[in-house]
Amino acid sequence: MPDPIRCVIADDEPPARRLLRRFLDDREDVMVVAEAGTGREAVDAIRLASPDVVFLDVSMPELNGFEVLASLPADEAPLVVFVTAYDEYAVRAFEVHAVDYLLKPFERGRVHAAVDRVIAQIDRESGAARDRARPALPVMAVAKERTYLRRLAVTRGERSEIIRVETIDRIEAERKYVHIWSGGRAHLVRRPISLMAKILDPAVFVQVSRSAIVNVERIREIIQPTPRDCYVKLEDGVRIKVTRGYQSVVDRIMFDLE
């Protein structure tokens, strides 16, 4: 089965984001990698997550949907499905080559049909046998403009709790989700740990295994009971194993801690 298409949801209305995400989560061939509530957040999410498609609200604070697209270089712009409560923008949406145009309130079948159109468009552009991943930009070209996640919204029912990234102690993977530990509490977020590793500042967060990322400022001990075994012990007493393939980070952690 091909990798799922990577999706960003950008809408300033939390109920609309939740409903759209619920319909997208029905599908195994879709992975929601980020959400945004303003136009500027949408630009940041697209640049950091490099999605295949963005479900983009036309009317948002700071930047509207069309201004979001205008803010992105052509090689960073994903496919677009516009979402709105009004049909007056439909012509303009297709002038900027939107794949589809969804009217609120959303219907499950209509959202799934939009996903099918996106997949068909991706296959037309890249060929069904090719990897859907977009080619990476040269590292030196990206490095000057790269920014990292500063805040994270965790949705609980009708409310979204804002977590400042510097308060995160560790992140642990669980399938398509991650547990984000902050202030002694765990928050379950539907994002792959591979994405978290890309959008967190590597000067502050290091990945010590395929399933764990730690804040270097929370590390208080490095424990090596045998030449092959290594653990980091955090301020809260939790020990996390540094697995083979990631043990080179120990030298860097020790340097950061000194």
Side-chain angles (χ1 to χ4, degrees), residues 113-170:
V115 172
D116 291 338
R117 288 188 178 186
V118 169
I119 292 174
Q121 180 66 26
I122 291 172
D123 287 343
R124 279 195 296 270
E125 290 182 356
S126 62
R130 295 183 191 168
D131 188 344
R132 286 190 178 129
R134 296 178 180 272
L137 295 175
V139 173
M140 293 302 293
V142 176
K144 293 182 181 179
E145 300 180 1
R146 181 133 192 204
T147 58
Y148 296 101
L149 191 68
R150 293 180 296 174
R151 293 178 299 278
L152 181 69
V154 178
T155 302
R156 295 179 183 274
E158 296 181 352
R159 299 185 179 182
S160 292
E161 181 178 348
I162 305 301
I163 300 173
R164 289 180 293 112
V165 166
E166 63 266 26
T167 69
I168 295 175
D169 302 313
R170 68 186 188 275

Side-chain angles (χ1 to χ4, degrees), residues 18-214:
R18 287 195 297 272
L19 183 60
L20 187 53
R21 178 160 201 152
R22 185 171 60 184
F23 291 158
L24 293 174
D25 283 348
D26 289 341
R27 300 186 57 132
E28 292 294 325
D29 52 0
V30 176
M31 176 183 291
V32 178
V33 294
E35 294 184 19
T38 71
R40 294 196 186 281
E41 288 179 1
V43 172
D44 290 343
I46 292 167
R47 285 179 168 170
L48 291 171
S50 300
D52 297 297
V53 61
V54 56
F55 284 76
L56 183 62
D57 191 8
V58 174
S59 300
M60 288 187 294
E62 299 179 354
L63 297 173
N64 66 39
F66 298 106
E67 290 169 333
V68 167
L69 295 181
S71 300
L72 296 167
D75 56 3
E76 291 184 17
L79 298 177
V80 178
V81 174
F82 277 110
V83 297
T84 181
Y86 310 99
D87 60 5
E88 61 192 82
Y89 302 105
V91 173
R92 188 176 176 190
F94 289 107
E95 286 177 350
V96 295
H97 307 294
V99 177
D100 208 339
Y101 187 91
L102 295 178
L103 286 175
K104 302 176 184 179
F106 306 123
E107 296 180 355
R108 187 186 308 271
R110 185 66 185 84
V111 172
H112 287 191
V115 172
D116 291 338
R117 288 188 178 186
V118 169
I119 292 174
Q121 180 66 26
I122 291 172
D123 287 343
R124 279 195 296 270
E125 290 182 356
S126 62
R130 295 183 191 168
D131 188 344
R132 286 190 178 129
R134 296 178 180 272
L137 295 175
V139 173
M140 293 302 293
V142 176
K144 293 182 181 179
E145 300 180 1
R146 181 133 192 204
T147 58
Y148 296 101
L149 191 68
R150 293 180 296 174
R151 293 178 299 278
L152 181 69
V154 178
T155 302
R156 295 179 183 274
E158 296 181 352
R159 299 185 179 182
S160 292
E161 181 178 348
I162 305 301
I163 300 173
R164 289 180 293 112
V165 166
E166 63 266 26
T167 69
I168 295 175
D169 302 313
R170 68 186 188 275
I171 300 170
E172 297 175 305
E174 183 179 322
R175 298 180 182 175
K176 292 183 179 181
Y177 295 82
V178 290
H179 290 283
I180 297 177
W181 290 85
S182 172
R185 297 171 58 204
H187 307 273
L188 186 64
V189 176
R190 189 182 170 94
R191 290 189 182 182
I193 197 167
S194 57
L195 173 62
M196 297 303 298
K198 292 178 182 178
I199 64 179
L200 292 170
D201 187 347
V204 181
F205 293 90
V206 293
Q207 189 165 4
V208 296
S209 71
R210 292 183 62 183
S211 59
I213 295 171
V214 299

